[in-house]
Amino acid sequence: MASQIQDRLATDQDLLLMQEGTMIRKVRSKNWKKLRYFRLQNDGMTVWHARQAGGIAKPTFSISDVETLRKGHDSELLRCLMEEFPLEQGFTVVFHGRRPNLDLVANSVEEAQVWMRGLQLLVDLVTSMDHQERLDQPGWVNDWFHRGDRNEDGRMNFQEAQRLLHLMNVEMNEDYILNLFQAADVSQSDTLEAEEFVNFYKALTKRTEVEELFENFSSDGQKLTLLEFVDFLREEQKERDHAPDLALEFIDRYEPSESGKLRHVLSMDGFLSYLCSKDGDIFNPACLPIYQDMTQPLNHYFINSSHNTYLLGDQLCGQSSVEGYIRALKRGCRCVEVDVWDGPGGEPIVYHGHTLTSRILFKDVTATLAQYAFQTSDYPLILSLENHCSWEQQETVARHLTEILGEQLLSTTLDGLFNQLPSPELLRGKILVKGKKLRIFEDIVDEEEEEQLEPDPYCESETQPQLQHETQELTPRNRKKKKNSTLILCPALSALVVYLRTVSFQSFTHSRENYHIYDISSFSETKARNLIKEAGNEFVQHNAWQLCRVYPSGLRTDSSNFNPQELWNAGCQIVALNMQTAGFAMDICDGLFRQNGGCGYVLKPEFLRDTMSFFNPEKPISPFKAQTLLVQVISGQQLPKVDNTKETSIVDPLVRVELFGVPEDTRQQETNYVANNGFNPHWGQALCFHVQVPELVMLRFVVKDYNRKTRNDFLGQYTLPWTCMKQGYRHIHLLSKDGTSLHPASIFVYICIREDLEVDES
């Protein structure tokens, strides 16, 4: 694969033109538009820019950071400038995670197409690489070489090599480094040329802990025979069922030598390739595709859900954008929220009411949903509609939904379903509207407003201050007056609500006696937590037959998040988070929904699907056996810096293992820190956890930079469900705060799970 990139750089006309460089207009807003000189570097992996050709250049982005490219017509910002620049000359670079898009306008349609074709080619090549191929990619090593070659003479002297080590986040003994340097300097010129530097780099990245493990199972220390590799897979990796078949498959996949493949043996290089691959990953590959039963009722699943999906920032003055919906849908979200209000010219708008957040057109949101709803997952998308519109604009909302979504919109019930909700399988490719539905002789008000009409001690709605005057009882005497102060639901919009009719929650008894399986109630996080503490088992039983949605407190004006695990413990399906805000809550959410094909639906454990369940998250007794987890944190590989601008700054890494589950299982432990080594730190420490309800546990591995004066700084993390964790020697490939890859940063661990072992964790 590495050679493919180099070959394309030398032959592809688009890439050759990109390496020459082009003046392109960078657009940040309607008023900020600057010409910049963009150039693809010779490594084929990075794009740099300068104010002008020949000017001081700086990195703009790495190809591995790019998720996709969009034409100018698909850019919200460039469409606003279509009278100034032809849309055909514009394009957008979309990055993984929460990094803002890069909107660009070329000087001609031809130049725009050159960059779009060239970038897409490189993105496709990089995406198809596996972990080891990326490490072997010359561009990766060459990038370090160029950063270390300070005087740009094509050679690296020893002083430059020492400086490079600081850039690479490591402080090593000078004599040891000198020995590695001299061994790589085969030309004996006291400098390293590019090829010699590759050998120097390989010596730096030598994995002694993996070599020791290899030698423990190899009779001659040179290779693993087929039987030796089978023994390793059975004894250490717990691959007991298919070890012989897997051994043959892995040798064929990871052994670099053709003769080794023919003899069915695994070299040290092949062994390391296996451990660094997806098959040596801590996340069970069997849990990556859709592997769960998708034919159960909708309420039997945890559903990946977003709150105030239109926002890219905070709740008070943040930007509203269709990009919020695109990003949520791209990461597998299956329930998005739309707050719709009356807009000018008869067109409804979406924004966070009574705030300074910007406005976007409802029809643009609907068009975005039509385009992106099923690109990541074809399982049903729930549109949680918070309706604040007048009768006339509600009709416009209904018309847009019907005309723009077309066949995607579920408008009628499915045949043969009377006593349960349809399954995700039956609803493939359908968008369901969640909202109020008219009932005979009743006036229906907006969902969030109706919550305010209830004398509810748990009430914590975002719109409470504006609605306190509406708490009077609705009687025939004041009905006429009431109609003038509340929103009356339009029949056309009501008709689009098929299975997800929102109703106010009064009590679990009231819900059982008055509501149906297609009714759904919303709870603030505070109200839901109180219900779990006061009636945890009743909440579990309620969620076993009816959907519920939990949303963040209205006091979270900074768009922060709560811990979703507390609500999943009670079986709450739609736990809505502010997806624009990075942090441990979104790490847990991403970790849970990483499984099952990333389709946005995860089947709840059986004890959370039983309407007669005895399970109480506050006093848990698992129907299965408690388990003990042993995590030996062995080593780290090429960890990132906290501040890349400081060459002399080297991290002192430690690893924290966090468990999130029922209260008894929610705990954390951490290793000691390793001083001045973020490149190849070694901990060799064992952490032990006793877990009562492993079926609900999420594990979060966090690497931090120790600092005795301030809070330890975040370096990287990886989160996954207990049920998707592989045992044995595993690599954990770290992710950033935004959930994007920090390749090649990883930690190497040994995982062992035992049943019914009580341990003292003090």
Side-chain angles (χ1 to χ4, degrees):
M1 184 59 64
S3 61
Q4 285 188 42
I5 289 182
Q6 295 305 309
D7 291 344
R8 293 299 186 97
L9 286 171
T11 59
D12 187 274
Q13 291 302 311
D14 292 331
L15 299 184
L16 288 169
L17 289 171
M18 290 165 63
Q19 290 176 81
E20 292 178 6
T22 313
M23 292 299 293
I24 301 177
R25 189 169 275 100
K26 181 179 178 181
V27 182
R28 286 183 180 170
S29 68
K30 292 181 181 180
N31 300 318
W32 197 101
K33 303 175 284 288
K34 305 283 186 182
L35 274 171
R36 295 289 184 261
Y37 181 76
F38 286 87
R39 180 179 177 272
L40 174 67
Q41 299 299 291
N42 294 333
D43 59 11
M45 295 291 289
T46 52
V47 173
W48 290 46
H49 78 273
R51 290 182 180 271
Q52 58 192 14
I56 299 175
K58 59 181 179 180
T60 308
F61 60 87
S62 169
I63 298 298
S64 59
D65 293 336
V66 179
E67 178 186 308
T68 190
L69 295 152
R70 294 188 198 145
K71 296 179 180 179
H73 294 84
D74 297 324
S75 167
E76 195 173 19
L77 176 55
L78 295 182
R79 283 201 305 269
C80 296
L81 301 171
M82 60 188 301
E83 294 183 2
E84 193 173 347
F85 306 110
L87 287 176
E88 292 78 11
Q89 292 177 206
F91 62 98
T92 303
V93 182
V94 181
F95 300 101
H96 295 288
R98 296 172 178 83
R99 179 174 173 177
N101 297 345
L102 176 62
D103 286 296
L104 300 169
V105 178
N107 292 317
S108 69
V109 175
E110 291 74 23
E111 284 186 358
Q113 291 175 345
V114 163
W115 277 85
M116 287 193 68
R117 285 194 304 262
L119 288 173
Q120 189 62 61
L121 170 62
L122 293 173
V123 169
D124 291 342
L125 288 172
V126 170
T127 302
S128 63
M129 289 183 187
D130 64 21
H131 176 81
Q132 194 60 37
E133 284 176 325
R134 291 194 191 187
L135 287 181
D136 294 339
Q137 158 68 0
W140 171 261
V141 182
N142 288 339
D143 183 50
W144 281 119
F145 181 76
H146 291 305
R147 292 172 70 180
D149 182 17
R150 198 161 196 173
N151 61 7
E152 299 182 355
D153 63 354
R155 295 174 176 272
M156 184 183 299
N157 60 36
F158 184 63
Q159 288 70 33
E160 288 175 326
Q162 286 181 301
R163 171 183 170 271
L164 176 64
L165 290 179
H166 282 273
L167 289 173
M168 297 173 83
N169 211 0
V170 63
E171 186 171 282
M172 289 182 174
N173 178 274
E174 185 171 331
D175 292 336
Y176 175 70
I177 293 299
L178 182 59
N179 288 334
L180 294 181
F181 185 91
Q182 291 174 339
D185 180 22
V186 294
S187 63
Q188 297 184 345
S189 62
D190 294 329
T191 60
L192 299 180
E193 297 180 4
E195 290 185 6
E196 292 173 326
F197 175 75
V198 171
N199 294 326
F200 178 66
Y201 181 86
K202 287 183 176 179
L204 284 173
T205 55
K206 186 177 180 181
R207 299 283 300 276
T208 55
E209 76 279 19
V210 175
E211 289 181 354
E212 291 174 3
L213 179 61
F214 180 82
E215 291 169 358
N216 287 340
F217 280 83
S218 170
S219 56
D220 63 3
Q222 301 298 313
K223 65 182 180 302
L224 288 177
T225 66
L226 180 60
L227 290 179
E228 288 170 344
F229 191 34
V230 168
D231 287 343
F232 173 77
L233 293 176
R234 278 180 174 154
E235 295 173 22
E236 302 297 345
Q237 306 299 78
K238 304 299 186 282
E239 306 278 13
R240 297 190 176 98
D241 295 336
H242 308 288
D245 293 336
L246 285 175
L248 286 169
E249 180 184 332
F250 293 163
I251 289 173
D252 187 61
R253 186 177 299 164
Y254 301 113
E255 173 54 41
S257 164
E258 289 300 324
S259 63
K261 291 179 181 179
L262 290 172
R263 293 184 293 128
H264 300 315
V265 298
L266 196 65
S267 65
M268 172 60 202
D269 287 343
F271 184 64
L272 179 58
S273 290
Y274 154 68
L275 288 176
C276 291
S277 73
K278 64 180 186 299
D279 293 304
D281 195 273
I282 191 171
F283 198 99
N284 189 345
C287 296
L288 288 174
I290 293 174
Y291 71 99
Q292 295 181 334
D293 179 7
M294 302 301 291
T295 64
Q296 300 204 28
L298 211 58
N299 53 295
H300 284 186
Y301 298 84
F302 296 125
I303 303 174
N304 196 350
S305 305
S306 167
H307 177 63
N308 289 348
T309 316
Y310 47 87
L311 286 179
L312 298 182
D314 63 64
Q315 314 278 314
L316 295 180
C317 54
Q319 179 187 358
S320 300
S321 170
V322 296
E323 192 66 36
Y325 291 95
I326 296 172
R327 292 180 183 180
L329 294 169
K330 287 277 192 179
R331 66 194 308 151
C333 179
R334 294 288 85 193
C335 180
V336 297
E337 185 178 24
V338 182
D339 293 350
V340 58
W341 301 76
D342 281 358
E347 281 294 340
I349 55 175
V350 174
Y351 80 110
H352 199 228
H354 310 296
T355 69
L356 298 177
T357 58
S358 60
R359 277 84 159 148
I360 52 178
L361 291 173
F362 175 78
K363 64 179 179 181
D364 288 347
V365 171
T366 309
T368 300
L369 296 181
Q371 181 177 357
Y372 290 94
F374 303 108
Q375 286 192 6
T376 298
S377 169
D378 60 358
Y379 285 102
L381 174 67
I382 297 171
L383 195 163
S384 182
L385 192 64
E386 187 176 327
N387 169 32
H388 301 273
C389 290
S390 62
W391 180 288
E392 292 76 16
Q393 294 211 14
Q394 286 182 53
E395 290 185 321
T396 304
V397 167
R399 187 175 71 255
H400 286 330
L401 289 172
T402 304
E403 294 178 356
I404 297 174
L405 298 181
E407 292 297 317
Q408 293 179 324
L409 184 66
L410 184 76
S411 54
T412 59
T413 57
L414 302 181
D415 293 338
L417 285 174
F418 304 104
N419 58 356
Q420 68 178 36
L421 286 170
S423 68
E425 187 65 34
L426 284 174
L427 293 169
R428 273 179 181 255
K430 291 297 182 182
I431 298 177
L432 285 68
V433 176
K434 167 189 165 292
K436 287 295 179 182
K437 192 170 181 67
L438 285 172
R439 290 170 286 181
I440 299 175
F441 304 122
E442 291 187 57
D443 291 311
I444 307 299
V445 297
D446 173 81
E447 174 192 354
E448 299 295 338
E449 292 176 343
E450 188 173 65
E451 288 186 6
Q452 300 315 306
L453 303 182
E454 304 163 25
D456 192 337
Y458 303 125
C459 188
E460 189 178 1
S461 170
E462 302 164 71
T463 53
Q464 186 172 1
Q466 288 80 26
L467 298 165
Q468 288 176 343
H469 67 283
E470 295 182 359
T471 56
Q472 61 181 320
E473 182 184 1
L474 188 60
T475 64
R477 183 176 180 181
N478 62 27
R479 183 180 298 274
K480 184 174 181 180
K481 178 182 177 182
K482 188 80 178 149
K483 284 184 178 181
N484 294 328
S485 60
T486 63
L487 299 172
I488 308 302
L489 186 61
C490 142
L493 188 55
S494 169
L496 300 183
V497 177
V498 179
Y499 284 113
L500 303 174
R501 181 180 71 177
T502 56
V503 294
S504 61
F505 177 81
Q506 298 182 30
S507 70
F508 293 122
T509 301
H510 177 268
S511 293
R512 283 194 303 271
E513 293 177 350
N514 295 277
Y515 294 152
H516 304 281
I517 51 99
Y518 52 80
D519 290 329
I520 175 172
S521 299
S522 287
F523 307 85
S524 73
E525 58 176 285
T526 304
K527 180 176 181 178
R529 281 201 203 97
N530 287 333
L531 288 172
I532 291 172
K533 290 178 181 178
E534 296 170 7
N537 177 245
E538 281 190 273
F539 208 174
V540 167
Q541 292 180 352
H542 172 88
N543 291 328
W545 74 277
Q546 193 177 76
L547 282 163
C548 91
R549 175 178 178 269
V550 181
Y551 58 90
S553 161
L555 300 178
R556 294 183 181 271
T557 55
D558 59 350
S559 292
S560 59
N561 284 310
F562 55 89
N563 179 2
Q565 186 66 51
E566 300 175 69
L567 292 312
W568 293 333
N569 291 341
C572 299
Q573 301 92 342
I574 302 177
V575 180
L577 297 180
N578 292 303
M579 290 193 166
Q580 72 272 33
T581 306
F584 87 94
M586 276 309 305
D587 293 343
I588 296 171
C589 181
D590 289 343
L592 176 69
F593 292 105
R594 186 167 286 120
Q595 64 182 306
N596 207 33
C599 74
Y601 287 84
V602 169
L603 189 64
K604 297 195 291 185
E606 188 176 357
F607 57 84
L608 293 181
R609 309 194 308 260
D610 181 2
T611 56
M612 303 298 291
S613 175
F614 293 104
F615 183 76
N616 186 336
E618 290 296 297
K619 302 172 183 177
I621 300 176
S622 173
F624 305 101
K625 293 180 179 178
Q627 295 180 331
T628 296
L629 170 67
L630 175 69
V631 180
Q632 184 182 8
V633 183
I634 302 171
S635 63
Q637 295 77 44
Q638 302 181 63
L639 304 178
K641 287 193 173 195
V642 175
D643 186 354
N644 282 317
T645 63
K646 295 182 179 179
E647 294 183 5
T648 58
S649 172
I650 297 175
V651 300
D652 305 321
L654 60 86
V655 177
R656 178 189 298 164
V657 181
E658 302 172 345
L659 269 62
F660 297 90
V662 297
E664 289 183 18
D665 293 341
T666 300
R667 58 196 66 188
Q668 63 184 38
Q669 296 181 46
E670 64 185 30
T671 67
N672 297 326
Y673 69 91
V674 175
N676 291 325
N677 191 348
F679 191 73
N680 55 358
H682 190 277
W683 294 281
Q685 283 184 255
L687 310 176
C688 194
F689 301 88
H690 186 65
V691 176
Q692 296 291 329
V693 191
E695 303 87 350
L696 291 175
V697 168
M698 299 292 300
L699 290 95
R700 183 171 182 251
F701 295 84
V702 191
V703 183
K704 297 222 166 189
D705 178 21
Y706 171 77
N707 191 322
R708 64 184 180 86
K709 295 182 180 180
T710 60
R711 289 181 58 187
N712 296 339
D713 293 310
F714 174 93
L715 295 178
Q717 65 83 27
Y718 188 82
T719 309
L720 77 162
W722 177 289
T723 54
C724 297
M725 181 171 55
K726 294 284 283 184
Q727 298 189 65
Y729 289 94
R730 303 289 171 182
H731 276 91
I732 300 172
H733 300 287
L734 297 176
L735 304 175
S736 70
K737 286 182 179 179
D738 279 344
T740 59
S741 172
L742 287 173
H743 171 84
S746 64
I747 54 176
F748 188 47
V749 300
Y750 178 75
I751 302 290
C752 182
I753 298 173
R754 304 189 186 107
E755 293 188 351
D756 287 326
L757 285 181
E758 297 288 341
V759 294
D760 182 4
E761 298 187 29
S762 62

